[in-house]
Amino acid sequence: MRQDEIWDADAAQRYDTPGSGMFAPEILGQTVDRLAELAGDGQALEFAIGTGRVAIPLAERGVPVTGIELSRPMIDQLRTKADETTIPVVIGDMATATAPGSYSLVYLVYNTISNLLTQAEQVACFRNAARHLIPGGRFVIELGVPELRRLPPGQDALVFRAEPGYIGLDTYDVLRQHLVSHHFTFDESRQARLDRSPHRYIWPAELDLMAQLAGFEMETRHADWTGAEFTAESSSHISVYRIPRSR
């Protein structure tokens, strides 16, 4: 499925979950705090801005935010909360679309770079971020660590979360470095809803090489937005890359 088929009007309507999940204050607050610190006095550009989960509170902190977004329905949902003057958005692919202006911060949150399904597209995304940044500017990526160590030998599926009313299951194609996330939601009835999204997973070392190809230097990597140490057991990371001040 193409990304614009996945992020359709139905997905946009169901995306926001105020106060819970990725919208929980303890998650969102830490994200915005760190991004505001990294942006400093400059402007921020969010790749795949979606419905404005991060951009809106970041703008409320005084950071000018522009977005790039492929899905028109997601932008429509954003527009119910913030107008074009508050948060301008360019419609297009985050690997190629250009936003006007120069930025001190470009960021990609919640595994979104994995929505690009080829290595070439992911490298192009890094290069696109670099084009938008001023010298010394930063590119921030939030990304999960592939859980292949948990995958039983001979099997290609792994349950990553199971709770009342929800089961999350990933199926892996290790040859192509792809996975499909399956999200089952259900209630007391006999019916369930299935939503799926394809991804190309990236190891941290491969991500670092992509950054080098685009002219970035590694600045920091932590396990979460609070700055916890990244270890071999970490399930995700916040990686900050920086454009050298002289280039």
Side-chain angles (χ1 to χ4, degrees), residues 141-159:
I141 293 180
E142 177 185 18
L143 187 61
V145 177
E147 295 192 294
L148 294 186
R149 289 187 301 175
R150 294 181 53 208
L151 195 64
Q155 297 188 28
D156 59 6
L158 178 67
V159 174

Side-chain angles (χ1 to χ4, degrees), residues 172-198:
Y172 286 83
D173 177 349
V174 296
L175 184 63
R176 295 192 301 157
Q177 210 163 302
H178 280 185
L179 68 83
V180 177
S181 290
H182 304 73
H183 306 274
F184 299 89
T185 53
F186 51 90
D187 53 24
E188 298 301 322
S189 72
R190 298 175 62 185
Q191 303 299 313
R193 179 188 179 95
L194 170 62
D195 295 291
R196 293 178 294 172
S197 60

Side-chain angles (χ1 to χ4, degrees), residues 204-205 207-208 218-223 228-230 237-241:
L207 199 72
D208 294 347
M218 164 62 76
E219 186 169 79
T220 61
R221 171 169 289 139
H222 293 102
E229 181 185 2
F230 180 75
H237 58 95
I238 313 297
S239 294
V240 180
Y241 301 99

Side-chain angles (χ1 to χ4, degrees), residues 116-131:
L116 299 171
L117 299 181
T118 68
Q119 186 183 70
E121 289 176 309
Q122 292 168 349
V123 171
C125 182
F126 269 90
R127 289 178 170 150
N128 198 27
R131 281 193 291 270

Side-chain angles (χ1 to χ4, degrees), residues 36-182:
E37 176 188 351
L38 291 169
D41 296 327
Q43 300 185 84
L45 174 63
E46 180 171 359
F47 284 177
I49 195 171
T51 66
R53 177 182 74 96
V54 174
I56 291 173
L58 186 59
E60 290 171 349
R61 291 281 295 271
V63 178
V65 181
T66 298
I68 291 176
E69 175 56 54
L70 184 64
S71 166
R72 291 178 181 269
M74 297 290 274
I75 298 172
D76 291 341
Q77 184 69 12
L78 167 61
R79 288 287 166 251
T80 66
K81 299 176 284 184
D83 61 24
E84 179 70 21
T85 302
T86 305
I87 301 180
V89 177
V90 174
I91 299 173
D93 188 324
M94 60 185 167
T96 57
T98 302
S102 297
Y103 301 86
S104 64
L105 176 69
V106 178
Y107 64 93
L108 251 179
V109 295
Y110 215 72
N111 302 320
T112 310
I113 192 171
S114 69
N115 290 341
L116 299 171
L117 299 181
T118 68
Q119 186 183 70
E121 289 176 309
Q122 292 168 349
V123 171
C125 182
F126 269 90
R127 289 178 170 150
N128 198 27
R131 281 193 291 270
H132 285 89
L133 287 167
I134 62 174
R138 296 176 173 97
F139 185 29
V140 180
I141 293 180
E142 177 185 18
L143 187 61
V145 177
E147 295 192 294
L148 294 186
R149 289 187 301 175
R150 294 181 53 208
L151 195 64
Q155 297 188 28
D156 59 6
L158 178 67
V159 174
F160 61 84
R161 193 162 84 240
E163 58 190 38
Y166 175 80
I167 295 174
L169 175 74
D170 284 339
T171 54
Y172 286 83
D173 177 349
V174 296
L175 184 63
R176 295 192 301 157
Q177 210 163 302
H178 280 185
L179 68 83
V180 177
S181 290
H182 304 73

